[in-house]
Structures are given as C-alpha cells and as structure tokens.
Amino acid sequence: MRRRARIAPIALALLTGAATSGAEVPALDPTPPPARAPAARPSSALAENDLDRLLAKLDAEEKALRAELDSIGPALEVTRRRMIARGRAYYRHVRAGFLPVGGGFDALVDHAARVERTRLALERDLAREAELTRRSAEIADRLTHLGAERAPLEVHREAMNRARVALAQEEERRAAFARAFETSVRPDYLAIYGADTGPAEPDRRAGFRSLLGRLPFPIAGRAEVRKVSRRGAGGPGVELTALDGAPVRSVAAGRVAFADTYADYGLTVIVDHGERHYSVYASLGAADVRAGDQLPGGARVGTVASGPGGAKLYFELRRGADVIDPGPWFGM
C-alpha cells in the first residue's frame, strides 16, 4: 500500500497531462561555470630559466587540454546515441497512455514508474551532452589563448638563443685573437716586397728584427699615415688612408694566425712573422686569406674598406701580445 501511495501522484500526472502524443521532453538550461581567466603575460625581461619554465608549463597545459578534447568526441557520440534510444523509449511509454489500465492499478503504477525513470535518464543525457559541448568550446577557447600567450615567449626565447650564439661566437673570436699572439715560429724564409724600392732581404740570422727602419707599408702607393690607438690595444698603431678597395699586403712573410671579425677591430688578419713578431691588419673590407695560410712577403691579405671618413686601414705591430710603436719600423 505504501508503494501505491508513493507512485499514485506520478500515475495521476501521467494520466492527466503526459498521456498525449505531443508530450515534450523538459528543456534543460545548465549554467556553465565562469571561464578561467588567462594567465597574466610575463614581462619581456624574463630570465632564461623562468622563460623555459613558463613555456614548459604552457606546453603541459596544452597537451592535457588536447588529450581531454580528443576524449570528448567519443563520449559525446555515445551520449547522443543513448539519448536517441531513450527518447524513443520515452515516446513509446508516453504513447501507451491508459493501455496498462487493463492490467490493474499495479500495472498502471509500474508503467508510470518506467516513464519517470526514462524521463530522468533522458534529462541526465541532455545535461551530459550540454556539459560536453560546453567543455569542448571552453577548451578550444583556452587553446587559442595559449597560442597567443606562447607566441611572444617563443619570439623572446629565439632572440635569447640568437644572442647566446652571438655571444659565444664573439667569445670564440676573442679567444682566437688572444691565441694568435701566444705561439710563434721562425719562418724558413723572409722576403719583403717594397712598393717602390723592390724586395728587401732581411738578415736571416736576425729575422724580422732586421727589418727595423725599413719595413714596407702594407698599402702600395701614396697613403696618408697617422698614429692612433685602438681601445684595448694598450699601444699605438697607425691608420693609413688610401683608395677604396686598395689591396693590403703582408709586410713580411709569415703564417696567418687569425682571419675573422673581432670587436672594435672589425675584419682583421694577423700574420705571425716568427720569434713572437706579428703584424695586424684591421678594418678590412675583405680578407683574402684564411688562418693557417703561409704567405710570402708582399702577399695580398685583403682590401681597404670605405667608411664615413674615407678608406682606411688600421695597422699594428706586436711583440707577443704587446703593441709596439710601428713608427721606427717604417722609418718614421
């Protein structure tokens, strides 16, 4: 009797309102939770470790969201198929109307209970479909925001990588420039080709030192010469003004110890003349030699570069890493 008393209102509602062919499934309007606000964009001055951690966090979130999005499709398909089956069953139950009356009041109550269970199950399916659809749209929106957050970080990281590579290359150039003055050998021969006076033969026993006072200029022909000092050199060099593209020649035979761009010197060639004597040709427009090349005296090492003040070559002589005054060597 208690069961009949509990289910009787359901049966009465079914007989008076739901027993029509036009019965409708109650509409559902689930309120979606507020969308998560995107993470605040970091400043452009991020440390490299912080940048890597932030990008790793964004990557992990994107991976998790895409995995969830991939699982929503199959779940949504299963839910919609189940909705169709239950909707049909609900429609059949409602269409039955008074038919179970012939089986007595108990049969009518059981029929009403089945209808109610089907309706509730259909409501759950509708709510599940709405939740999956809402979540899918929310994930798509978050993925779009993640892409927008990642783009400037990727640009920043690429800039940092380029800066790190450039710094490493510059450090390698500095090390190579310093190494160029660390070792020196006595060349097997030493021949000097002067621009106007012809070849000058040094004293083989004295080597490069015998050229003191008669060292040829590295540029043939007329050139304006003045003493200058380069930052970090620690001693004087000379600056020669010549025609744009004029050839630059080695002042003596030797081995190319360095041929690359270096800090304030620009494109630079260093020639080792033996016994720790070196000549430095800087601010070149082009270098025609490579490190390790063996050069006779007067060999072309590059060309003079043009600049705001005209075409100028910077030249140094060094004994070891120390810059020595080239004036006495040129007879100036």
Side-chain angles (χ1 to χ4, degrees), residues 29 55 57 73 81 200 214 240 271:
D29 185 21
L55 283 169
K57 182 179 179 180
R81 289 181 180 178
R214 58 194 188 98
L240 298 95
V271 179

Side-chain angles (χ1 to χ4, degrees), residues 8-229:
I10 299 175
L12 292 176
L14 177 65
L15 294 175
T16 57
T20 63
S21 60
E24 298 180 355
V25 177
L28 299 177
D29 185 21
T31 302
R36 180 173 49 181
R41 185 164 299 177
S43 78
S44 58
L46 284 171
E48 186 172 0
N49 290 340
D50 294 337
L51 181 63
D52 288 339
R53 281 195 295 269
L54 184 55
L55 283 169
K57 182 179 179 180
L58 293 177
D59 289 340
E61 183 180 357
E62 180 180 5
K63 183 178 179 180
L65 288 174
R66 291 195 180 280
E68 183 181 356
L69 188 62
D70 290 341
S71 67
I72 286 178
L76 194 58
E77 180 66 21
V78 169
T79 300
R80 285 172 176 168
R81 289 181 180 178
R82 190 167 57 234
M83 282 171 52
I84 293 174
R86 284 176 173 165
R88 290 172 178 172
Y90 182 74
Y91 179 75
R92 288 195 302 269
H93 291 328
V94 171
R95 289 279 294 176
F98 289 100
L99 294 179
V101 174
F105 187 74
D106 287 344
L108 181 61
V109 169
D110 289 340
H111 174 70
R114 283 194 300 271
V115 171
E116 181 64 9
R117 286 195 301 269
T118 304
R119 185 185 69 80
L120 293 175
L122 188 56
E123 280 188 357
R124 288 194 298 272
D125 288 340
L126 287 168
R128 176 62 173 164
E129 181 194 32
E131 170 63 19
L132 291 174
T133 302
R134 182 198 63 78
R135 182 57 181 159
S136 179
E138 184 180 275
I139 291 175
D141 183 65
R142 180 56 184 159
L143 288 174
T144 300
H145 281 80
L146 284 176
E149 291 177 23
R150 179 185 287 103
L153 297 178
E154 292 286 0
V155 171
H156 188 59
R157 181 167 65 177
E158 181 61 25
M160 293 178 69
N161 288 339
R162 288 197 299 268
R164 183 168 56 249
V165 170
L167 181 61
Q169 291 175 341
E170 181 61 24
E171 289 299 325
E172 175 57 28
R173 291 191 189 98
R174 290 180 183 276
F177 190 85
R179 286 195 302 269
F181 302 106
E182 290 177 357
T183 60
S184 182
V185 296
R186 185 185 183 96
D188 294 334
Y189 64 94
L190 192 64
I192 301 299
Y193 298 92
D196 300 318
T197 60
E201 293 293 338
D203 183 345
R204 287 184 174 274
R205 290 170 298 178
F208 187 82
R209 289 172 295 176
S210 68
L211 297 175
L212 181 63
R214 58 194 188 98
L215 191 71
F217 283 110
I219 297 177
R222 181 182 180 279
E224 297 179 5
V225 182
R226 69 186 183 97
K227 291 186 178 182
V228 295
S229 294

Side-chain angles (χ1 to χ4, degrees), residues 2 16 20 40 48 54 60 71 132 139 159 163 192 206 212 263 269 273 275 278-279 281 296 304 312 316 332:
R2 291 180 181 177
T16 57
T20 63
E48 186 172 0
L54 184 55
S71 67
L132 291 174
I139 291 175
I192 301 299
L212 181 63
V269 171
H273 301 292
E275 297 181 326
Y278 303 86
S279 58
Y281 313 81
V304 178
K312 299 180 185 297
E316 280 181 0
M332 295 169 57

Side-chain angles (χ1 to χ4, degrees), residues 177 228-237 265 314 316 318 321-324:
F177 190 85
V228 295
S229 294
R230 283 289 173 97
R231 184 175 63 180
Y265 282 65
Y314 176 72
E316 280 181 0
R318 294 201 182 199
D322 299 325
V323 180
I324 57 178

